[in-house]
């Protein structure tokens, strides 16, 4: 099994990946923020609110699977991504 430090060193030692991140256009960073951060933040805020309102946890537990779906929908609508 690979330790966490080895995983990061593999990622950081790949110069091509580092160069792509450094040279990424600003719009790509906007997409990362919208698709990665904001969709997850909205989902977690909604999750917390739903848990505080629900009588049983089971009433909201299946909703956690909406995050990947919402991210895919936002990717299609905002970034023009086409699912394979």
């Amino acid at each position: 099994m690979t330790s966490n430090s080895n995983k990061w060193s593999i990622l950081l030692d790949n110069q091509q990946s580092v160069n792509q991140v450094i040279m990424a256009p600003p719009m790509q960073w906007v997409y990362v923020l919208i698709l990665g951060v904001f969709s997850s933040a909205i989902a977690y805020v909604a999750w917390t609110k739903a848990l505080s309102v629900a009588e049983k946890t089971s009433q909201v537990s299946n909703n956690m699977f909406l995050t990947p779906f919402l991210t895919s929908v936002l990717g299609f609508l905002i970034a023009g991504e086409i699912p394979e």
Side-chain angles (χ1 to χ4, degrees):
M1 183 171 274
T2 307
S3 70
N4 284 336
S5 62
N6 287 341
K7 289 178 187 177
W8 284 110
S9 67
I10 289 170
L11 289 174
L12 296 176
D13 286 342
N14 187 345
Q15 190 61 40
Q16 183 179 4
S17 296
V18 172
N19 287 338
Q20 287 180 356
V21 170
I22 292 171
M23 302 303 282
M27 198 59 181
Q28 296 299 321
W29 287 104
V30 171
Y31 291 155
V32 167
L33 288 173
I34 291 171
L35 297 175
V37 176
F38 294 130
S39 64
S40 295
I42 291 168
Y44 287 118
V45 168
W47 174 258
T48 303
K49 181 65 176 172
L51 285 175
S52 68
V53 172
E55 293 177 21
K56 298 179 187 176
T57 305
S58 62
Q59 292 174 326
V60 293
S61 61
N62 288 331
N63 293 325
M64 72 181 179
F65 298 107
L66 288 176
T67 301
F69 173 73
L70 291 176
T71 301
S72 298
V73 169
L74 286 173
F76 177 75
L77 295 174
I78 295 172
E81 295 177 355
I82 306 290
E84 292 181 8

